[in-house]
Each structure stands twice: as structure tokens, then as C-alpha cells.
Amino acid sequence: MLGERATEPESVLWRAWHQGEPTLAVWELDYVERSVIAVPMYDETGKRLGVLVADRPAMTPFTQDDLASAVEVGAAHAAHIDLSVVFASLRE
């Protein structure tokens, strides 16, 4: 997958991670260019939980409709991830 970090300003994940914007981009640092969707996910208080990322070869790029669908998926599953994090911290 993507061999970079969301904390690196040049990363295709930067905008989703730091600015909270769903992102549709092309990652060119692989043997085959990749089309990438990165969608920030938040808990109910607005705290960032993580970023939902999907990629595939750029020869079949994601569309704005795909990005909109990914935003819906991220929103629908953020509560499940938040709950999982809470239960994991309780077990520790």
C-alpha cells in the first residue's frame, strides 16, 4: 500500500489527516500510479479517530461519486471504531 505517513506534508494523506478534508489523489511513488481516497473519521465529539484509505491502480481512478460513498462509509463506521477503542482501553 502507501509507503508514506500522513504526517509528511508531501503525503497524499496529509490533507485528510491534518485539514480534515476528504481527499481524492494520485500517488506516483510506486511501480504503478495509484488512485487514492483518504477520508477522515471522527468520534461524536469531533475528535479525529483516523483516516479511511482506499487505493487502486490509477488506470481505473476513483471518481467524486466514489469519494462521496467513502465519506458515507467513514461516517457510518466511525461510531463502531470509537466504541472499539473505548473497549480496548477498558480491557487494559
Side-chain angles (χ1 to χ4, degrees), residues 25-37:
V26 174
W27 187 60
E28 300 171 345
L29 301 176
D30 201 353
Y31 296 113
V32 176
E33 287 185 343
R34 311 290 298 173
S35 180
V36 180
I37 287 177

Side-chain angles (χ1 to χ4, degrees), residues 13-23 38-42 48:
L13 306 178
W14 174 264
R15 200 163 72 206
W17 185 257
H18 288 280
Q19 296 175 344
E21 296 177 20
T23 304
V39 176
M41 298 173 71
Y42 300 95
R48 185 185 53 233

